[in-house]
Amino acid sequence: MRTKILILSFLFLLTVPTLTAAAESVPSYFNDNAAFQEGLNHDDNKFLGISSNSADEYVPTAAFIFNAIFTIMTLLGIIQLGYSLVTKTGFNLKGATGILIYTPLVVVIVRIFFIFVFTTVLPNVTLIINDIISLILAICLSVSVGMVLIGLIMKLFHHFLRHPEYSRWSKRLFVGAAGLTVLSTITPIVMYSI
């Protein structure tokens, strides 16, 4: 049994470069579209119809308002957290921790969004989208490899301990890895051909 597991894991590890090559060979979604390329004839200093010169006038005011709103939200979250700790109210504690966790995340996401909007021209967006799709495909294939390896470990536990739950988990992990691999390799090709 051990030799079967070792042979299967060795064969699977040999197929990993093939799977990653399949993820990298996803067709470019936007570069082949002639209508999209014709639509790129515009001023490169605009993104989403915003000129960089007109946006420069509003940036200091928008940044101040943005920081003020999220500072007020953080202070209200701290007050609500203090109130919930004194009164032992779970509802207020949940709301306060939600505010205190998500406020910094929203601040970072919004700042990254504005950096992206004001520094990116439209032809570069297509490259970013293609890179994001390739990254997600590589992550899916890596997760499926991890699922197979964990499934092999569960199968080994089942072999030693004879507990049926390990066998069920290993089968679920194998089926999940196969489904994730098939869906992540077929879906981009199907979506591209539509």
Side-chain angles (χ1 to χ4, degrees), residues 10 25 37-38 41 56 61 63 69 73 78 87 92 101 103 108 114 124-125 130 133 135 139 169 173 176 179 192 194:
F10 180 72
S25 67
Q37 292 295 331
E38 289 174 8
N41 299 329
D56 290 341
T61 306
I69 288 172
M73 286 179 63
I78 291 171
T87 60
N92 287 327
I101 288 171
T103 300
V108 169
F114 282 122
N124 292 340
V125 173
N130 284 331
I133 291 171
L135 174 69
I139 289 171
W169 270 99
L173 286 168
Y192 178 69
I194 291 177

Side-chain angles (χ1 to χ4, degrees), residues 44-162:
D44 282 343
N45 292 330
K46 289 186 177 182
F47 182 76
L48 299 176
I50 301 171
S51 173
S52 61
N53 294 334
S54 66
D56 290 341
E57 301 169 4
Y58 301 109
V59 169
T61 306
F64 175 75
I65 292 172
F66 173 76
N67 288 333
I69 288 172
F70 284 104
T71 302
I72 290 169
M73 286 179 63
T74 304
L75 292 175
L76 289 176
I78 291 171
I79 291 169
Q80 187 177 6
L81 181 66
Y83 173 76
S84 66
L85 291 176
V86 170
T87 60
K88 307 288 186 200
T89 310
F91 178 75
N92 287 327
L93 180 64
K94 182 179 178 183
T97 53
I99 289 173
L100 293 175
I101 288 171
Y102 290 116
T103 300
L105 290 177
V106 170
V107 168
V108 169
I109 289 170
V110 169
R111 287 183 185 241
I112 290 173
F113 172 75
F114 282 122
I115 291 170
F116 176 73
V117 166
F118 291 121
T119 60
T120 306
V121 292
L122 198 56
N124 292 340
V125 173
T126 60
L127 298 175
I128 292 172
I129 291 173
N130 284 331
D131 290 342
I132 289 172
I133 291 171
S134 298
L135 174 69
I136 292 172
L137 286 176
I139 289 171
C140 288
L141 294 174
S142 301
V143 167
S144 67
V145 170
M147 288 172 73
V148 167
L149 293 176
I150 293 171
L152 290 173
I153 292 171
M154 291 290 179
K155 193 62 116 173
L156 187 66
F157 285 167
H158 173 67
H159 178 69
F160 289 137
L161 302 175
R162 299 286 180 206

